[in-house]
Amino acid sequence: MKLISILLKQSVLPMLTCTLLLSFGRQAFSQETIKKKFRGTITNSQNIPLEGVTVSIKEGAGTITDASGSFTVEGNEGTSITLSSVGYESKVVVLKGNNPLKIRLEQAYKNLNDVIVVGYGTVKKKDLTGSVAVVNVGDAKKNVSYDVAKMLQGQAAGISVHGSGEPGGYVQIKIRGTTTFGNNSPLFVIDGVPVDAPYDFSPNDIESIQVLKDASAAAIYGSRAATGVIIITTKKGKQGPVRVNFSSYYGTQEIAKKIPVTDRLGYQKIVSAAELNAGLTLAPANDPTNPSFVSSINTDWQNEALKKGVIQDHNVNLSGGSEYVSYNASLGYFNQTGTQTGPQKYDRYTLNSSVQGKKGRFSFGIKTAYTQSHKGNYGATNGHAVFGGTVTSMLTAIPTMPVYDATRLGGYGGSDQVKNRAISANVVGLNNLVNDYSDRNRMLANAWGELEIVKNLKYKLNVSFDRTDYKNFHYEPKFDMGYYYLNNLYYMYQQYGHANTSLIENTLTYQLQAGKHKIDFLGGMTYQEDKNEWMSATATDTTDLNFKTFGAVANANAKGVTSWQGTATMFSLLGRANYNYDDRYLLTFNFRRDGSSKFSPYNRYGNFAGFAAAWNITNEKIFHLPAFISSLKLRGGYGMLGNQTALGYYDYQSYINNATNYLFNNSLATGATTVSVADPSLKWESTTTSNVAIDMGILQEKLTFTVEYFNRVSKDIITAIPIPYSVGSFPQTLTTNAASLKNTGMEFTVNYRNNAGAFNYNISANAYTLKNKVLKLGGTNNPVYGAGSKTEVGREVGELYGFVTEGLFQNASEITKHATQNQSGGIAPGDVKYKDNTGDGAITDADRAYLGSTIPKFYYGLNFSASYKNFDLSFFWQGNAGNKVYNGVYAALMAGQYGNSHVDELRFWTASNTNTNVPRPLINDINNGKFSDRFVESGSYVKLQNAQIGYSIPDSKLTRTKVIRSFRMYVSGLNLLTISKYKGYDPDFISDGLFNRGYDYGSFPNPRTVMVGVQLGL
């Protein structure tokens, strides 16, 4: 409040005073200075209105154009105004006449003068040497999400994004593949401040997004850049009067697909056959001759557990400024409710503000961002596993179990051990009875000041503080939801914690130009400190814990407390040099030296550098390119980046238990022993990148495209390797530098824009290929096995690995002739036949084989946008191809056990139904449900991710209101169409297990969304 008071006193009041003086002045000298209002509209060469053009006027208040390209200024007849906008040539126009001005701005050097944000600075597009993707923020924002990472899906070559439909759920994002066995998410930099993830911040505040993909561009961030860097710049105030912008959308979400599962009759038929095949009697609930036979219950769990969700976002923005100071502030609210029955949702409130200014040789800026969020999590219990999560449990829930049952504790239905014999989770009950949520409060503050010491020599100080306070809460009452899901104790868990990141940066920049030679230098020093601390407590008691406070737990023995804290620091030196000769030959060199406390003093420092060169062939005088080629550039880069994301704070140190007893002189004595073995020689992971690219523009940049090849090799990857039990370490692994990976691929980006009269359109597409190869796994290069996967040298990370099927056994003769297989009760006709790859006459784990790559070979995205007069239309397609996925949900529904089944299971083998690929159902089966190619499917898909149509009210009508500058309304749909052969809900699911990849066992499907929105400018 004190800061606001100072700003009001020092900025607003003087401005009001000046306004009053000017007003009196105009009245006193009205005979000499008669001013009037001039209106105008600014378009580009394609007659598209330009929003955000700065209109400056001497001795008057400037302004900026609205969404329709319109502006109004007050001045004298004959006064000049200056029009300027990024990417366009500045223009001076004289105010005269009474008719509205119609002004056209020409693109500045065919868009090549656009400024691109890179690490610790900016560069013009035509001077770019490294691999940097510029994301069209307007297109990205149409993919509405609480997380900017999700919005980037399909928007730039080299980026893969996968998310789920869970409100506030995790989003997986990678740049150019897997480069480490730790966290592969890129480094996010918001207004120059590195952050761990952007999901706490509102996408409404974003102005530009750049993605640094290679070492020549990202080496300035050193050890944190091996997985790529995404630079986000938020909106800033501009010179001109106060502008108010309001945006809002509201939509409904629902699961677009329904999995065909069996009803009561189908379920009872399959389970009864499985029991008879196993030599068991029929479960009473499924036996028509038993009094307990269920005939009146036929629950459709998808109808009962799925619902329509809501997604909405509302944001108001205030901005403006004078010649010396500008400001921007926004307030936002985002809400998304779940599509599965229950109170689960995600709420977020955001407040963002910034002030920046310049006076003489000194410029400064202050930014604060505050977020408060609440995430209600789906039901999971402490002592009762929800197998496969709530999605799979919902599908396998038996139809003979009711949703509600007033006779049971808690009021929800359940299965009976004797009557049903089924362990079946009531996800509706779990979601409503179990209270599990996470609260986060995050504050990011950043301040900087820059002084031009002498001409072209600038010193900048940047300090930031990022603090997150969080609370995780879990509460379970007593309940009875049947066999296994019976809770006789109250349980409560609560965790409080906070994480702080402090950063201080000192940088010097210098620019030098001599003739055709241009050189700019950057040097700096940074220091960062991360602190993390949490405390958690649990209580388990028969006493009612409904007060949900630990003080209310009378039994001291029922409570437990634990805590943790850690600190990590990093000291860095950085430098960069750019050389430009005659706009033809460009060179860039980046360097950073990082020292991290996560490594021992012997290996604490790492040096990372990148080099890039570019040749602007268009400017080469010895070549005469065809007239239709407006720009042509060849560029390439090479460098090394570092990584430490796989490390904890103290992984290089061994842990000692100082309360260990041992035998001494025939009696126990207290001593100490090493609990876990650590490698003190741990060092930085390193990723070497090389790339070469061609950028070309045709027909005055109407058509532009880029083709790029990249090669990334990661060495000294930190991972846990097995060690002998005799070492006495727990766990029986050693974290060390052991592995090496390689990723190669091609990237393609094309953009075409044109107009036919009042019809303007733009087409942009991107695609890239990716090939992954394991070069080393440490020690003796033993393969790493996961749940149905295998990673070995010479192949990809996390390839699916399991048994190969050869159909079903049809008779006893086939069983006798085939290799032996294990099955409960013995192999019988109708069981799955597996291939004997080893030829040893027995099916064992050695017969498993590779079943497919989980890494897509091809990713792509296509944006189309068009406008006609006041109407606009856009759509966005996205997809990937060439990968395999293991459909764990389908496998669970084809198990032939006591859970519910997919309707495909009804085609199971019998003596009278042999023309099928579905094996006989069998209780306690250990053969047919093996991890095999039965459940491996193509992961390829094409999605219509977004379609939108909008209408803007003409400026001529809005000017009559004298208040509203712009007004646009639109209707939008997301995830409208999916073209895929996948039998699950959604082929686009969370699968970031690294070694256990491409495994879908119940990821929340992305919902189909229909929404309406408005955008208002005042």
Side-chain angles (χ1 to χ4, degrees), residues 150-431:
K150 178 65 173 176
M151 293 165 53
L152 294 178
Q153 186 174 38
Q155 298 296 329
I159 303 177
S160 67
V161 180
H162 297 285
S164 74
E166 180 184 1
Y170 169 70
V171 176
Q172 167 197 325
I173 179 170
K174 292 187 179 72
I175 297 177
R176 290 182 171 178
T178 300
T179 57
T180 178
F181 291 160
N183 183 4
N184 279 274
S185 297
L187 170 70
F188 287 87
V189 179
I190 300 179
D191 292 328
V193 180
V195 299
D196 55 352
Y199 55 79
D200 284 314
F201 306 103
S202 172
N204 289 298
D205 297 319
I206 296 175
E207 185 171 78
S208 69
I209 302 174
Q210 285 81 29
V211 183
L212 313 185
K213 297 185 286 187
D214 72 334
S216 65
I220 198 71
Y221 289 107
S223 66
R224 293 171 291 181
T227 52
V229 181
I230 296 179
I231 298 180
I232 297 174
T233 304
T234 60
K235 295 176 181 177
K236 304 291 189 298
K238 297 180 180 179
Q239 181 179 347
V242 177
R243 294 169 59 89
V244 179
N245 290 291
F246 173 75
S247 63
S248 175
Y249 65 74
Y250 180 92
T252 59
Q253 297 185 311
E254 61 181 337
I255 305 304
K257 182 178 181 180
K258 188 174 181 179
I259 304 297
V261 297
T262 56
D263 60 7
R264 177 185 66 83
L265 292 175
Y267 164 74
Q268 290 175 330
K269 177 181 178 181
I270 293 170
V271 174
S272 296
E275 290 178 315
L276 293 175
N277 288 333
L280 303 174
T281 60
L282 299 184
N286 302 326
D287 184 358
T289 65
N290 194 295
S292 298
F293 177 68
V294 176
S295 61
S296 60
I297 301 173
N298 190 15
T299 305
D300 185 330
W301 283 97
Q302 290 180 93
N303 284 346
E304 297 291 340
L306 296 180
K307 65 175 182 177
K308 278 192 176 182
V310 169
I311 185 170
Q312 57 182 318
D313 185 277
H314 313 285
N315 182 271
V316 61
N317 177 271
L318 178 72
S319 66
S322 65
E323 180 182 355
Y324 301 107
V325 179
S326 60
Y327 57 89
N328 183 84
S330 67
L331 179 66
Y333 170 68
F334 177 88
N335 164 258
Q336 182 183 12
T337 62
T339 51
Q340 196 176 80
T341 300
Q344 287 72 30
K345 64 177 182 176
Y346 179 71
D347 284 309
R348 182 180 64 199
Y349 297 88
T350 57
L351 175 64
N352 188 72
S353 64
S354 65
V355 177
Q356 50 278 323
K358 185 175 182 180
K359 180 66 174 178
R361 294 187 174 187
F362 179 70
S363 57
F364 66 93
I366 301 172
K367 172 186 171 63
T368 57
Y370 176 77
T371 298
Q372 182 181 86
S373 64
H374 171 85
K375 180 181 184 297
N377 302 309
Y378 285 100
T381 67
N382 174 56
H384 310 86
V386 182
F387 302 103
T390 59
V391 173
T392 304
S393 293
M394 172 191 67
L395 294 171
T396 56
I398 61 176
T400 54
M401 178 177 69
V403 180
Y404 304 99
D405 187 346
T407 65
R408 289 183 179 272
L409 182 62
Y412 290 92
S415 61
D416 184 81
Q417 182 176 4
V418 176
K419 180 180 176 180
N420 302 104
R421 299 179 186 170
I423 296 177
S424 189
N426 186 330
V427 296
V428 176
L430 286 171
N431 286 340

Side-chain angles (χ1 to χ4, degrees), residues 343-665:
Q344 287 72 30
K345 64 177 182 176
Y346 179 71
D347 284 309
R348 182 180 64 199
Y349 297 88
T350 57
L351 175 64
N352 188 72
S353 64
S354 65
V355 177
Q356 50 278 323
K358 185 175 182 180
K359 180 66 174 178
R361 294 187 174 187
F362 179 70
S363 57
F364 66 93
I366 301 172
K367 172 186 171 63
T368 57
Y370 176 77
T371 298
Q372 182 181 86
S373 64
H374 171 85
K375 180 181 184 297
N377 302 309
Y378 285 100
T381 67
N382 174 56
H384 310 86
V386 182
F387 302 103
T390 59
V391 173
T392 304
S393 293
M394 172 191 67
L395 294 171
T396 56
I398 61 176
T400 54
M401 178 177 69
V403 180
Y404 304 99
D405 187 346
T407 65
R408 289 183 179 272
L409 182 62
Y412 290 92
S415 61
D416 184 81
Q417 182 176 4
V418 176
K419 180 180 176 180
N420 302 104
R421 299 179 186 170
I423 296 177
S424 189
N426 186 330
V427 296
V428 176
L430 286 171
N431 286 340
N432 285 281
L433 290 176
V434 176
N435 185 7
D436 191 297
Y437 65 85
S438 301
D439 287 336
R440 286 170 63 90
N441 294 312
R442 186 169 184 176
M443 191 272 290
L444 175 65
N446 171 232
W448 61 270
E450 185 177 73
L451 176 66
E452 187 173 18
I453 302 172
V454 296
K455 186 177 180 180
N456 295 328
L457 177 63
K458 298 179 180 180
Y459 164 73
K460 183 176 183 179
L461 171 65
N462 180 64
V463 294
S464 67
F465 182 73
D466 184 3
R467 180 182 175 96
T468 301
D469 292 278
Y470 57 89
K471 172 187 175 181
N472 297 317
F473 180 83
H474 181 92
Y475 170 78
E476 295 177 27
K478 289 182 179 180
F479 56 77
D480 176 9
M481 285 186 281
Y483 179 31
Y484 182 74
Y485 292 102
L486 176 65
N487 194 32
N488 294 318
L489 296 172
Y490 291 92
Y491 175 78
M492 185 167 63
Y493 167 85
Q494 191 164 292
Q495 181 189 49
Y496 285 96
H498 63 262
N500 301 334
T501 297
S502 304
L503 176 69
I504 181 168
E505 298 176 323
N506 295 273
T507 56
L508 277 173
T509 59
Y510 181 68
Q511 295 179 333
L512 175 66
Q513 182 169 355
K516 297 181 180 180
H517 303 274
K518 298 178 184 178
I519 306 177
D520 64 78
F521 300 96
L522 166 72
M525 177 178 64
T526 75
Y527 176 78
Q528 178 175 321
E529 182 178 79
D530 299 315
K531 289 185 176 181
N532 199 335
E533 182 176 358
W534 56 260
M535 177 177 289
S536 64
T538 59
T540 304
D541 204 353
T542 56
T543 305
D544 191 343
L545 302 178
N546 280 327
F547 287 107
K548 298 177 183 177
T549 61
F550 288 95
V553 182
N555 183 4
N557 295 325
K559 295 182 285 188
V561 179
T562 185
S563 64
W564 183 89
Q565 64 178 350
T567 301
T569 60
M570 181 181 293
F571 175 78
S572 306
L573 299 173
L574 57 94
R576 177 173 59 217
N578 291 322
Y579 172 73
N580 181 328
Y581 176 73
D582 196 26
D583 285 335
R584 287 185 286 167
Y585 311 117
L586 310 169
L587 301 175
T588 299
F589 176 73
N590 285 308
F591 173 80
R592 184 163 181 140
R593 177 175 172 81
D594 283 328
S596 171
S597 64
K598 292 184 178 181
F599 297 97
S600 71
Y602 307 103
N603 295 303
R604 185 149 290 172
Y605 286 90
N607 298 319
F608 312 100
F611 174 81
W615 179 23
N616 271 325
I617 302 175
T618 313
N619 298 336
E620 192 61 65
K621 297 177 177 57
I622 62 174
F623 290 107
H624 297 284
L625 298 175
F628 66 87
I629 298 179
S630 49
S631 64
L632 179 62
K633 180 165 67 176
L634 176 66
R635 55 182 172 83
Y638 176 84
M640 183 193 302
L641 302 168
N643 198 358
Q644 58 169 343
T645 58
L647 276 182
Y649 283 3
Y650 312 109
D651 281 356
Y652 71 90
Q653 294 179 328
S654 298
Y655 290 88
I656 296 178
N657 184 346
N658 59 4
T660 303
N661 296 327
Y662 67 102
L663 189 63
F664 180 77
N665 197 22

Side-chain angles (χ1 to χ4, degrees), residues 823 832 834 886 891 894-895 919 925-932 934-935:
Q823 174 62 287
V832 175
Y834 296 106
Y886 185 83
M894 296 294 289
D925 163 67
I926 60 172
N927 176 77
N928 300 330
K930 288 181 182 293
F931 195 101
S932 70
R934 281 186 64 204
F935 309 111

Side-chain angles (χ1 to χ4, degrees), residues 834-846:
Y834 296 106
K835 186 177 181 180
D836 183 11
N837 286 313
T838 61
D840 61 359
I843 302 301
T844 64
D845 284 346

